Amino acid sequence: MDHPWRRFRDQADWLLRMAELPGDLVGYTDFVHREVVLDSRLLQSERRCTIAHELEHIHRGPPPADGVLLAREELAIDKTVARRLISIEALGEALAWSLDLHEAAEELWVDVPTLRVRLEHLHPAERHYLQRRLEHHRASP
């Protein structure tokens, strides 16, 4: 299992700050002040996904100013985070337990948007693995 909080701890020159953020903003990376700010109202799984997302921003560097490139960058980060936080094996077990996205997300210790991204961007081999895993679950007593 990926531990984004441990990875953030290794970023010795970066600070973490909690604050009430406006609107639907859940977090951001401030490259000038070298700090990550998370919305203080996030649930534990949301904080985990958000810090993982902001770590990817740190790793990739400042985002592009162009809106189209920024959207591509955000999607690439979302996909990377979803893969890091949700292994295909854990996904298969969670979906065998429940096909409800909220329950599966809770089981995986992620938020629903991260789970959706993982499901929407499966590699064909991963899709095949899940189909076999779920067929096996249905065939078991």
Side-chain angles (χ1 to χ4, degrees):
M1 176 186 292
D2 184 58
H3 296 281
W5 291 105
R6 288 182 190 160
R7 289 191 295 119
F8 186 80
R9 182 184 61 207
D10 294 338
Q11 304 297 316
D13 56 337
W14 284 82
L15 297 175
L16 176 66
R17 186 166 57 89
M18 305 297 277
E20 285 194 21
L21 298 178
D24 60 354
L25 185 62
V26 294
Y28 66 90
T29 302
D30 180 340
F31 285 91
V32 173
H33 297 103
R34 299 187 71 76
E35 74 176 359
V36 169
V37 181
L38 300 183
D39 191 301
S40 58
R41 298 164 292 187
L42 294 175
L43 301 174
Q44 186 176 15
S45 61
E46 294 169 325
R47 287 192 309 263
R48 181 172 181 257
C49 293
T50 304
I51 195 69
H53 182 97
E54 300 311 323
L55 276 164
E56 285 302 311
H57 277 296
I58 291 171
H59 175 73
R60 295 170 75 103
D66 178 78
V68 172
L69 295 178
L70 178 60
R72 285 183 190 160
E73 177 79 357
E74 289 297 323
L75 179 58
I77 288 173
D78 288 345
K79 288 165 53 174
T80 299
V81 166
R83 282 187 181 284
R84 281 189 96 129
L85 295 181
I86 307 169
S87 72
I88 191 61
E89 296 81 10
L91 180 58
E93 293 306 306
L95 293 177
W97 178 72
S98 176
L99 292 177
D100 178 88
L101 287 185
H102 294 276
E103 289 180 349
E106 187 174 324
E107 179 69 15
L108 292 163
W109 199 20
V110 296
D111 56 23
V112 172
T114 301
L115 177 54
R116 278 196 181 109
V117 168
R118 185 68 171 104
L119 290 169
E120 290 169 2
H121 299 281
L122 291 169
H123 183 276
E126 292 175 323
R127 192 173 310 282
H128 181 70
Y129 170 83
L130 288 178
Q131 287 170 342
R132 285 182 304 149
R133 175 62 185 95
L134 296 178
E135 285 170 6
H136 173 74
H137 174 71
R138 281 180 233 148
S140 298

